[in-house]
Amino acid sequence: QVQLLESGGGLVQPGGSLRLSCAASGIGFRFNAMGWYRQAPGKERELVARISSAGSTNYLDSVKGRFTISRDNAKNTVYLQMNSLKPEDTAVYYCNVNRGIEYWGQGTQVTVSS
């Protein structure tokens, strides 16, 4: 059974930082690309960052230079380091793996507000 468990969300002031974690189980983690998506109220879910099994990364244009995705295959965990946060980054953030079937975590709320 595939399980993705996110943590690390919260309330932060503009310019602040957060690190999200996603612990995966039930998959051969190191063989899978992993992604972080987000969904703001009234908006569609969008891909924020993805990391391949080999470690190559790609990012949503609006987060380039501020967010960093990384993975620790020994811990079956993918991270999203978010710096210089802006109010428009406010959303529920979801961890994702696509193995022919999409699997999602439960989401973690990130709120950027003064």
Side-chain angles (χ1 to χ4, degrees):
Q1 181 180 1
V2 178
Q3 289 189 324
L4 303 173
L5 183 62
E6 301 103 335
S7 61
L11 172 64
V12 63
Q13 292 186 341
S17 298
L18 284 174
R19 188 176 82 154
L20 306 183
S21 301
C22 172
S25 60
I27 61 173
F29 180 81
R30 62 179 175 163
F31 300 116
N32 287 272
M34 301 295 298
W36 284 100
Y37 286 71
R38 69 185 181 188
Q39 188 166 20
K43 295 187 177 181
E44 293 187 355
R45 192 171 296 189
E46 62 182 356
L47 175 64
V48 176
R50 172 169 283 150
I51 185 166
S52 74
S53 57
S56 61
T57 58
N58 59 282
Y59 296 92
L60 181 68
D61 283 348
S62 62
V63 309
K64 286 180 181 177
R66 301 189 296 122
F67 290 12
T68 303
I69 189 171
S70 62
R71 64 191 299 157
D72 185 336
N73 290 339
K75 295 182 178 180
N76 287 358
T77 300
V78 60
Y79 304 97
L80 185 67
Q81 178 67 44
M82 305 185 294
N83 298 329
S84 302
L85 281 161
K86 304 176 181 180
E88 52 263 44
D89 295 318
T90 295
V92 178
Y93 284 71
Y94 297 91
C95 183
N96 168 275
V97 63
N98 187 338
R99 304 178 73 235
I101 298 174
E102 297 266 18
Y103 294 93
W104 299 92
Q106 83 287 353
T108 185
Q109 177 70 47
V110 172
T111 302
V112 184
S113 175
S114 55

